[in-house]
């Protein structure tokens, strides 16, 4: 119960407060990762794997320690889980970025929107016009709804504080070094593959929740099943395809990331996104987040750690204690 309550409190804190503006734990992790990278970098998968293992391993160990210290103290355990959930979620910040992009484009401030797009994704926005900026924003909202909201909630529901922290560490590293660029193609390989593995189930859960919360489950599922494979990412594909079907849009196309160009296929049957679709997408993302929080809390209840149990004493012997697990 304390894990479920902590997740719901942390989710509520994110909805009300968003990310802390100073001393954000994820930002601190990023600085640590950058510092370690400067010492370990080489154009090598081995060095990249060691970099990833050290950072994710240390963060996971911190989560395990917090879980063990507080697990017999329900109030402390609830507080630790809530704090970790708030720290790793990015749903409210994603919503704010979407609103900022929508406002800039509604006011026809194309230069401002080009500059602001870097807060959402790594695309080269130099030559993007309003509709292409809208497409980039819609696709980033869809993908980040899974990465910054659904996935951490589900890992937290299943594994508590260690699941929350380990997932956010891996996902942050992927965002930092998991690029197919000349510099990171080898060094970032381990971080990118780990992030792929950790998102396999959450991405599909996000796609399913997208259909259920959109009111268009059949169409969302149809586009997901038909088009997800066109996307080069095994996890972004299902999520973006499900959003495309749910919103009756066509997503995908060729994206320029500065150092490389990637064709992400064509997902959906509707028209390409325009500026008003940004707010529609953000509204859908909010509903998906609420549904994911409910699923995570239910998961926490179903995977709760049972307390000690006892059996009746047998003739000539003593009772035995049950086992405990997390």
């Amino acid at each position: 119960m304390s894990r479920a309550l902590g997740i719901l409190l942390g989710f509520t804190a994110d909805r009300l407060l968003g990310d802390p503006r100073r001393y954000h734990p994820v930002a601190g992790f990023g600085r640590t990762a950058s510092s370690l990278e400067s010492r370990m970098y080489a154009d090598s998968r081995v060095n990249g794997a060691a970099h990833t293992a050290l950072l994710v391993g240390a963060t996971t160990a911190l989560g395990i320690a917090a879980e063990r210290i507080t697990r017999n103290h329900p109030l402390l355990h609830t507080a630790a889980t809530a704090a970790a959930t708030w720290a790793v979620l990015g749903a409210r910040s994603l919503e704010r970025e979407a609103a900022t992009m929508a406002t800039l484009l509604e006011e026809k401030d194309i230069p401002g929107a080009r500059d602001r797009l870097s807060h959402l994704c790594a695309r080269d926005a130099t030559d993007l016009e309003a509709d292409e900026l809208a497409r980039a924003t819609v696709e980033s909202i869809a993908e980040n709804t899974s990465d910054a909201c659904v996935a951490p909630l589900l890992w937290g529901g299943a594994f508590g504080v260690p699941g929350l922290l380990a997932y956010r560490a891996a996902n942050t590293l992927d965002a930092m070094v998991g690029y197919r660029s000349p510099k990171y193609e080898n060094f970032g390989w381990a971080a990118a593959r780990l992030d792929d593995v950790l998102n396999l189930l959450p991405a599909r859960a996000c796609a399913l929740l997208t259909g259920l919360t959109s009111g268009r489950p059949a169409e969302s599922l149809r586009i997901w099943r038909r088009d997800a494979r066109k996307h080069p990412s095994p996890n972004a594909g299902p999520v973006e395809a499900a959003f495309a079907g749910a919103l009756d849009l066509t997503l995908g196309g060729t994206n320029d990331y500065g150092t490389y160009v990637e064709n992400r296929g064509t997902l959906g049957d509707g028209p390409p996104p325009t500026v008003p679709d940004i707010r529609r997408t953000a509204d859908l993302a909010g509903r998906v987040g609420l549904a994911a929080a409910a699923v995570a809390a239910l998961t926490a209840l179903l995977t709760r750690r049972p307390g000690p149990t006892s059996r009746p004493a047998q003739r000539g012997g003593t009772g035995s204690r049950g086992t405990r697990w997390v």
Side-chain angles (χ1 to χ4, degrees), residues 179-199:
Y179 296 107
R180 296 175 182 174
S181 63
K183 179 177 181 180
Y184 288 123
E185 185 171 3
N186 288 316
F187 186 80
W189 178 86
R193 297 293 77 76
L194 177 60
D195 184 71
D196 284 345
V197 171
L198 293 179
N199 277 294

Side-chain angles (χ1 to χ4, degrees), residues 40 42 44-56 173 186-191 194:
M40 297 185 65
S44 161
R45 289 188 177 184
V46 172
N47 286 53
H51 178 257
T52 299
L54 281 171
L55 288 162
V56 177
L173 281 179
N186 288 316
F187 186 80
W189 178 86
L194 177 60

